[in-house]
Amino acid sequence: MKQLSKISILASLILLTAACSTYKWSTLSNDMSVEQVMQEKFPTLYAKSKAGEIIIDKVEQRVDKNGEIIFRVRYTKKTSDDDMDTFIQQTIYDPLLNH
């Protein structure tokens, strides 16, 4: 009886592990283009990327419980060097000129 309960616990752990691995995020497969996915699924982010406002870091995919492929985009906002120059001007140089 103890051996049967051990086997059932082991089988349930294996099934649980297999179910969790099904929903893991992975990078796009080789047959899919990042640019194509961005154009079709995320047109606003694609436009911002082409305008240079954001940088696309990673596009990932996974299969949901209904069997559909869903995508996730990771991106960072691009900051211009002019913003830093303005910040330095206002915080360091301008106060020094007033003395």
Side-chain angles (χ1 to χ4, degrees), residues 2 6 12 17 19 30 38 40 44-45 49-50 62 81 83 85 91:
K2 282 187 175 185
K6 288 180 183 179
S12 63
T17 304
N30 292 336
M38 291 299 296
E40 293 174 6
T44 305
L45 290 178
S49 172
K50 286 299 179 185
R62 76 176 174 105
D81 292 336
D83 293 340
D85 291 340
T91 57

Side-chain angles (χ1 to χ4, degrees), residues 40-78:
E40 293 174 6
K41 304 293 183 182
F42 306 98
T44 305
L45 290 178
Y46 180 73
K48 287 183 177 185
S49 172
K50 286 299 179 185
E53 297 175 25
I54 63 171
I55 299 170
I56 304 298
D57 297 324
K58 186 187 285 189
V59 179
E60 298 172 309
Q61 67 181 5
R62 76 176 174 105
V63 178
D64 69 358
K65 60 184 174 185
N66 297 328
E68 294 182 32
I69 297 175
I70 56 174
F71 298 96
R72 174 172 69 178
V73 177
R74 293 182 184 215
Y75 65 92
T76 54
K77 290 185 178 180
K78 188 173 179 184

Side-chain angles (χ1 to χ4, degrees), residues 6-19:
K6 288 180 183 179
I7 292 173
S8 64
I9 290 173
L10 181 62
S12 63
L13 285 175
I14 290 172
L15 288 175
L16 182 63
T17 304

